[in-house]
Amino acid sequence: MTQEEKTAVEERIVDVLRTVYDPEIPVNIYDLGLIYKVDVKETGDVDIDMTFTAPSCPAADFILEDVRQKVDSVDGVRNATVNLVFEPVWDQSMMTEEARVELGFD
């Protein structure tokens, strides 16, 4: 996979990540800043590091599986691995400006 192809796959992954929501928050997980890393390998394997707004998120299993299934469905992705991480600790500064406005923080 060329760098151009990897970039295109990453853009498609970001598009599908913007369709994943925590059921308790009306902003997608990408704009919330919960996605820390999207690493597309030349083989089509993808590693994603993500977190939650709180370690005890009741929808964690649902969200993780939704991310994995949606990323696996992206053309060019052979296999997606989603890693749950808690460092760095998520805070509101990681949200996009649009997310902060939507949630009333700005």
Side-chain angles (χ1 to χ4, degrees):
M1 183 179 302
T2 67
Q3 184 59 44
E4 186 175 288
E5 291 168 328
K6 286 171 62 175
T7 300
V9 169
E10 186 173 329
E11 289 172 358
R12 290 192 297 269
I13 289 169
V14 169
D15 288 344
V16 299
L17 290 173
R18 284 194 162 116
T19 70
V20 178
Y21 288 80
D22 180 323
E24 298 177 339
I25 304 172
V27 175
N28 69 73
I29 64 168
Y30 191 84
D31 289 337
L32 279 173
L34 301 181
I35 303 297
Y36 288 170
K37 176 183 87 171
V38 175
D39 183 19
V40 179
K41 311 257 192 249
E42 291 179 9
T43 60
D45 292 328
V46 177
D47 286 325
I48 295 174
D49 287 353
M50 67 172 291
T51 195
F52 291 112
T53 58
S56 59
C57 176
D61 291 340
F62 167 79
I63 296 169
L64 288 170
E65 184 60 16
D66 197 24
V67 168
R68 191 193 59 73
Q69 286 182 359
K70 286 183 176 179
V71 173
D72 266 343
S73 74
V74 170
D75 187 40
V77 172
R78 187 174 72 106
N79 182 52
T81 302
V82 183
N83 305 300
L84 183 59
V85 299
F86 290 104
E87 288 187 20
V89 175
W90 179 88
D91 66 54
Q92 295 175 4
S93 71
M94 297 172 170
M95 292 189 284
T96 63
E97 182 177 337
E98 294 84 6
R100 286 194 298 278
V101 168
E102 177 72 26
L103 295 173
F105 293 120
D106 279 350

